[in-house]
Structure formats: C-alpha cells, structure tokens
Amino acid sequence: MWSAVELLIAFAIALLTAIITTPIIIYVSKKFNLVDQPDQRKQHQKAVASIGGLGIFFGIAAGFFYLQPEHPQMTAIIIGAVIMLLTGFLDDLFDLRPGTKLLGQVFAASVVAYSGLVIEKLTLPFMGTVFLGEYVGIALTIFWIVAAANAINLIDGLDGLAGGVSTIAFISILVMAIMDYRFVVVGLCVLLIGATLGFLVFNFHPAKIFMGDTGALFLGYSIAIISMLGLFKNVAFFSFVIPIIVIALPVFDTLLAIIRRVHNRQGISEADRQHIHYRLLRNGYSHRESVWIIYAFSMFFGAMAIVVNNAQLMTSLAVFCVVILGIHLFSIICGIRSGGIVVSLINRKDEIEKRRLK
C-alpha cells in the first residue's frame, strides 16, 4: 500500500511536528496556568505543563494528512479519538468527576463499536474460533477500549513512562502487522511511534511537560483501536490474549489497583501511591531506573506477544507460562511478592541499607 520511503516520510512528519508543537504547548500552558501542581502524591517539585498529549495528537494529524490511511471505519475511529482526547483535555483543565470522565470514554468507544468495528471472534485454546454475538461483540469492544485507555492513564506516574510503554506497544504491534500484511495498522503505528517519540524528547526525566489525561487516554485508545484492526482478527491460538500481553504491565497495574481499592473499601477511581512505579521508587530505584525497568519488562512482554502471534498451541502455552513467570519476577522487584534470595539480589532498598550500615 505504501513504500518504505513513504512510511519513513510519514514517520518524520509526525516526529518533527510533535517536536515543533510541544514547546509551543509548553509556552501556552504556562502562560494560561494550564499546569500540574505538585502535591504529596506526585513526584515533581514544581508546576509542569500538563496538556502535552496535544503535541502527540498534532504530530499524528500531520502525518495522517500525508499518509491518508483508508479503512471503512476510519471516520468513526477519528471521531472516537477526538472525543477521547477532549475527555482527557477537559479532565486536565477541570478535574472531571470520575463518572463524567467515564461517560466520555464510553461515548468515544461506542462511536467506534456502532460503526461496525467490533471484536467479532476470539480464538481459544482447545475450542478453536468462537464467534461472538452482535451485542456481546459491541459490549466487549467498548470494554476493551475503555480498559486500555485507563490502563495507560493509570501508569502515567513517572516522566516518560506512559509514552515509552505506549511506544514499545506500538512497535510490537507494528512488527506483528508487518508479519500479517495489515497495512493500515502499519501506517497508523508508524504515525503513533513518530509522534510519541517526538513528545518524549520533552517528557523524559526531568520532564518539561506531562502528557496528562489528554495524552494518556488518547494513547490507550489508540492501542485498543490498532489491536482491534489487527491482533483480534488473527487466527493464532490465544489470539484473545495477545493485545493484553502487549500492554501486560499497565493491565497488571490496573488489576492490582482495582483489587487493592476494593479490598480497602476505597473508590476504584481514588488515587493512591501504590502503583508499580511508586513501588519501584520505594524499593530504592531512582526515577530513571524505575522507568527503564518498566521499559525492559514491556519490551519482554512485547516480544512474547510477537512470538505468540503466529505460534502453534504448545508454543503458545509455553510462552504464556513464561509471561506468567515474567509478571512474577516483576512483582518481586516491585516488592509485591516475596522472592526469598531473589529479593536480596534485586531489591535496591536492601542494598542501599547495607551500604549505609557499613
């Protein structure tokens, strides 16, 4: 559909547009006091511009006009993206109530689902392909889009974290899309990678700007959409779990947050400092080390998703076991689970304490 040169040009347009527009957004944010103020829950010590997701959006939009990818539901996808972006933007400006914020997310997802872009079938082990009914497919589609958007939003707690994890997810999906000849997904991934990398230039620690809910919800929405365009339609075993493996750590963190808050009788949307990135900081890792640890595990899970994408049943089962072990190891590093001697080898907090005592 597109040549490699055209894809490279689109990547460059998205990248450079994000690099050019993000400093403008930083200036405007500070001029109109659209900033994220520090508090006891946050890591930054001074006010930081908080609507950086607009830079990502502008980068993608510029590249989109050049590449002009086509799909029967592309109009609905764009409308849903704008609704999700505006939902996050309004939340950054006015701190929307959780119910209002969720309503905006569901509205964005519903536009996509009712356009006909739905999860129609899942390939399950020992059962083969299971076709979903119309209403089940629509409900599952809305749930997946909203869940992915919130998973990326929840992990957006350290400089460069959500953007980097999303970029790794886009690269993983890009590889699978190339293998499966899904050209629309290839084009969209190239744009998303370029724009997000352009934003990350200003978002690495110490960040000059945050993506805010504007960017986090938009990126989560984008991951959900491109996975539906490609991964859920794959015929490999465990196809239903491939998109989840791609964003395994955000999904893991989200599930932990829900369980933790239900157990503590808190509201599910109530913020706390128990997310995986905060746990890494408490275990003695620096800000950048914590981010790179999550990057490394995200790359591992992305690689596992690529393997599962075209694997047979036994290979898929073996990789699934490796994924579980990877989550277990990450849990130990975060201090969520005790790992005996493993903890002493990887827990920086213990190491620092021993040095202090010497």
Side-chain angles (χ1 to χ4, degrees):
M1 190 174 186
W2 299 291
S3 68
V5 173
E6 288 175 316
L7 290 172
L8 285 173
I9 292 174
F11 172 83
I13 291 173
L15 176 73
L16 293 175
T17 302
I19 290 175
I20 292 170
T21 58
T22 300
I24 298 173
I25 295 170
I26 293 174
Y27 172 78
V28 172
S29 296
K30 291 183 177 180
K31 183 175 180 62
F32 293 97
N33 198 34
L34 305 177
V35 295
D36 191 329
Q37 298 290 347
D39 60 32
Q40 59 183 4
R41 189 178 63 84
K42 299 172 183 176
Q43 294 300 310
H44 56 287
Q45 303 300 315
K46 60 180 181 179
V48 179
S50 62
I51 53 173
L54 291 178
I56 299 174
F57 178 77
F58 292 146
I60 294 169
F64 189 93
F65 280 119
Y66 169 77
L67 211 54
Q68 296 187 8
E70 296 180 355
H71 188 274
Q73 282 84 32
M74 188 58 74
T75 299
I77 291 172
I78 294 172
I79 293 173
V82 172
I83 294 171
M84 190 68 79
L85 184 86
L86 287 176
T87 299
F89 181 70
L90 292 174
D91 187 51
D92 287 330
L93 294 185
F94 305 113
D95 194 18
L96 300 177
R97 293 181 178 180
T100 304
K101 185 175 173 181
L102 179 61
L103 184 63
Q105 297 169 17
V106 171
F107 183 34
S110 298
V111 169
V112 174
Y114 284 101
S115 74
L117 180 59
V118 298
I119 303 170
E120 300 171 343
K121 59 185 179 181
L122 300 175
T123 307
L124 306 176
F126 308 111
M127 295 179 62
T129 301
V130 176
F131 290 90
L132 306 174
E134 179 183 359
Y135 295 110
V136 174
I138 289 175
L140 184 58
T141 297
I142 294 173
F143 173 79
W144 167 241
I145 294 174
V146 172
N150 281 285
I152 298 301
N153 194 29
L154 284 176
I155 205 172
D156 184 28
L158 298 180
D159 299 349
L161 185 54
V165 169
S166 296
T167 301
I168 293 168
F170 293 139
I171 292 172
S172 302
I173 297 173
L174 173 63
V175 172
M176 288 182 271
I178 292 173
M179 294 169 62
D180 293 339
Y181 302 101
R182 300 190 181 279
F183 298 110
V184 173
V185 179
V186 170
L188 293 176
C189 283
V190 166
L191 298 179
L192 287 159
I193 293 168
T196 308
L197 286 176
F199 168 76
L200 281 172
V201 171
F202 306 93
N203 186 234
F204 277 119
H205 184 71
K208 297 180 179 66
I209 187 171
F210 298 150
M211 69 171 62
D213 283 18
T214 305
L217 292 181
F218 176 75
L219 289 179
Y221 169 89
S222 300
I223 291 172
I225 292 299
I226 59 175
S227 67
M228 288 170 56
L229 291 173
L231 306 185
F232 276 119
K233 296 183 181 295
N234 196 284
V235 296
F237 284 107
F238 280 124
S239 67
F240 72 101
V241 83
I242 293 174
I244 299 174
I245 296 176
V246 170
I247 53 171
L249 290 188
V251 170
F252 176 60
D253 188 41
T254 301
L255 291 174
L256 281 180
I258 293 172
I259 294 171
R260 179 175 64 248
R261 291 165 187 175
V262 169
H263 177 73
N264 294 332
R265 297 182 179 179
Q266 297 175 305
I268 293 179
S269 60
E270 187 175 338
D272 59 34
R273 288 181 58 87
Q274 298 299 318
H275 292 289
I276 55 178
H277 40 279
Y278 293 133
R279 289 176 178 271
L280 286 170
L281 291 174
R282 285 201 298 272
N283 274 5
Y285 293 96
S286 69
H287 194 119
R288 291 197 177 195
E289 287 172 339
S290 298
V291 170
W292 280 106
I293 287 172
I294 295 177
Y295 281 3
F297 274 92
S298 295
M299 286 186 273
F300 165 75
F301 290 124
M304 292 299 99
I306 292 171
V307 173
V308 172
N309 186 50
N310 288 303
Q312 297 300 316
L313 177 58
M314 295 311 296
T315 303
S316 297
L317 289 171
V319 173
F320 186 70
C321 292
V322 173
V323 169
I324 296 299
L325 289 174
I327 292 176
H328 179 77
L329 176 60
F330 183 79
S331 300
I332 294 173
I333 296 175
C334 290
I336 298 171
R337 296 180 62 90
S338 174
I341 192 171
V342 179
V343 171
S344 65
L345 293 175
I346 60 179
N347 192 321
R348 291 289 301 277
K349 187 176 181 180
D350 291 345
E351 179 185 333
I352 294 171
E353 183 65 19
K354 289 178 181 178
R355 289 180 181 178
R356 187 184 69 79
L357 293 175
K358 287 181 180 180

